[in-house]
Amino acid sequence: MDVLSRAHALEAAGRRVVHLEIGEPDFTAPEPVVEAGVRALREGRTAYTATLGLPALREAIAAHYRDKFSATVSPDRIAITSGASGGLLTVVALYVDAGDEILVPDPGYPGYRHFVRAFEGVARTLPVAAQTNFQPTLDMVRAAWRAKTKGLLLGSPSNPTGTLIAKEELENIARFIAARGGVLLVDEIYQGLVYGTEPSSALGLPGEVVVINSFSKYFCMTGWRLGWAVLPESAMRGFEKLAQHLFISPPSAAQYAACAAFSDESLSTLEQRRQEFARRRDFLLPALRTAGLAIPAEPKGAFYIYADCGRDAKRFALELLQNEAVAATPGLDFGANATARFVRFAYTRSMEDLEEAATRIARFVCALSA
């Protein structure tokens, strides 16, 4: 947040900042989504909906899992939420009691830890490293599991690393957790943004498994504040009661709009954008290495590159911003496990911006070495 606020101050002073610190697509919602949202507003469809969301949207998501992943999911197991954050918050509220431990990867999305702590749980970190693609393994989970451990919360693709957990490893972890009566919480918010391999889902894994997803990243609808969770049937009533108290219902106009996100036209647009993100990654990854940064685990998803700058990353990020007007996020924002030398770059800007950023970064690193 220090970098973001300083970047805005530089822009206010007249400098052109290249923003690689923000985890938000530079694309807007596909046109059919916008049209459906406008239509909903004009028709006055702005009242509360059912707490679990519009039946039509729940059915559309179930059909998406069937068509994309050959996964059979009843719409009755799908809850529409106020963004993935609202989904995560409600899921953690459902499963975490005071003193319960939830294992979370470090580095990882910082919200995981805060959601657990908000309900008096204990977020115990799993130190992950490049050797395992910054993802947990069964051995790590087994070694960390204790009497008070309730479950594991992870993201794949991951923020900040853009890495994926292997399907076989996740299945082994799910079986281990199921045997201990725990819960596996999988954040799949970047699921559609996968490169060089087919996307997959944790749906269908054994045991108590909850999947959280969102319309923010792949569907380019960040400000619409809409997500969803897929839960075991036995958990739905408890989730619904909590969601009623926490949020009443998800945003109504956004839900009507999101029904159009699964149209052929929308999905074609989103696939073109996924390919553009892949093109950006394929440019920026070698450009950062040529500039002198190390990327020990190549990203296969999301829109992030997690790079070792070889020195204090916070100072690196602040000086890069001040000297070259390129904004990036220091690794310390994502945990304490060997994050002090890492910087996250988000390739959520045009190729023109990325090319300019690469030139500035190379010049900055060269000056540091002089």
Side-chain angles (χ1 to χ4, degrees):
M1 297 305 292
D2 284 347
V3 171
L4 182 60
S5 60
R6 294 192 189 194
H8 288 161
L10 284 180
E11 285 181 318
R15 295 188 67 183
R16 179 179 179 272
V17 176
V18 182
H19 289 278
L20 306 186
E21 84 281 30
I22 302 173
E24 180 174 23
D26 55 329
F27 302 110
T28 58
E31 187 59 29
V33 174
V34 175
E35 291 176 357
V38 170
R39 187 164 56 250
L41 292 172
R42 286 178 173 162
E43 294 176 359
R45 290 183 284 173
T46 56
Y48 294 140
T49 67
T51 295
L52 294 178
L54 293 175
L57 183 53
R58 298 167 74 189
E59 290 166 5
I61 293 170
H64 179 67
Y65 280 117
R66 181 196 65 219
D67 297 341
K68 185 72 174 178
F69 303 103
S70 300
T72 301
V73 182
S74 169
D76 293 338
R77 292 179 50 207
I78 297 171
I80 310 303
T81 63
S82 298
S85 294
L88 281 164
L89 184 72
T90 310
V91 164
V92 172
L94 178 64
Y95 283 100
V96 175
D97 294 321
D100 285 345
E101 295 181 349
I102 298 292
L103 304 177
V104 295
D106 183 354
Y109 177 58
Y112 299 159
R113 304 190 302 273
H114 301 317
F115 290 140
V116 172
R117 291 167 182 161
F119 296 99
E120 300 183 7
V122 177
R124 287 189 55 226
T125 56
L126 288 178
V128 293
Q131 290 77 6
T132 63
N133 283 320
F134 293 106
Q135 291 285 353
T137 65
L138 173 60
D139 288 342
M140 291 179 195
V141 175
R142 181 186 288 118
W145 200 273
R146 304 192 304 198
K148 291 185 177 181
T149 306
K150 188 69 173 287
L152 167 68
L153 170 55
L154 64 87
S156 180
S158 166
N159 177 11
T161 65
T163 58
L164 311 176
I165 188 168
K167 289 189 289 186
E168 299 80 4
E169 194 71 40
L170 187 57
E171 182 173 356
N172 290 336
I173 290 172
R175 292 187 186 281
F176 173 86
I177 293 175
R180 283 146 186 82
V183 59
L184 174 61
L185 310 174
V186 185
D187 178 3
E188 296 183 347
I189 186 173
Y190 298 99
Q191 179 190 57
L193 297 173
V194 173
Y195 319 110
T197 187
E198 287 297 314
S200 63
S201 175
L203 290 176
L205 292 179
E208 191 88 357
V209 178
V210 178
V211 167
I212 298 96
N213 210 318
S214 173
F215 288 94
S216 290
K217 310 298 184 178
Y218 175 69
F219 294 93
C220 304
M221 296 173 62
T222 51
W224 300 72
R225 304 316 304 136
L226 203 64
W228 73 86
V230 185
L231 301 104
E233 185 177 352
S234 60
M236 291 303 297
R237 182 53 183 153
F239 183 97
E240 182 179 19
K241 288 190 290 186
L242 282 167
Q244 285 173 335
H245 291 295
L246 292 172
F247 300 105
I248 301 178
S249 70
S252 53
Q255 291 186 72
Y256 287 108
C259 289
F262 301 100
S263 69
D264 290 342
E265 182 181 348
S266 291
L267 292 175
S268 176
T269 297
L270 295 170
E271 173 57 21
Q272 293 172 18
R273 293 173 178 180
R274 187 195 66 82
Q275 293 177 8
E276 174 61 15
F277 279 126
R279 188 169 78 99
R280 295 174 182 182
R281 182 201 65 156
D282 292 345
F283 165 77
L284 190 59
L285 191 64
L288 291 175
R289 284 176 166 157
T290 299
L293 304 181
I295 296 96
E298 291 194 5
K300 300 293 185 183
F303 33 58
Y304 305 119
I305 297 175
Y306 193 59
D308 185 346
C309 67
R311 48 183 50 83
D312 182 284
K314 184 173 183 179
R315 181 176 178 181
F316 179 95
L318 292 174
E319 291 182 355
L320 175 63
L321 176 61
Q322 185 62 43
N323 296 347
E324 293 290 350
V326 175
T329 306
L332 286 171
D333 283 10
F334 304 101
N337 172 43
T339 56
R341 289 162 50 107
F342 279 86
V343 179
R344 189 196 74 177
F345 296 92
Y347 43 94
T348 51
R349 290 296 178 266
S350 68
M351 280 296 297
E352 180 183 8
D353 279 355
L354 293 181
E355 289 167 357
E356 178 62 28
T359 298
R360 297 184 189 185
I361 292 167
R363 185 167 58 216
F364 175 71
V365 175
C366 182
L368 286 179
S369 304

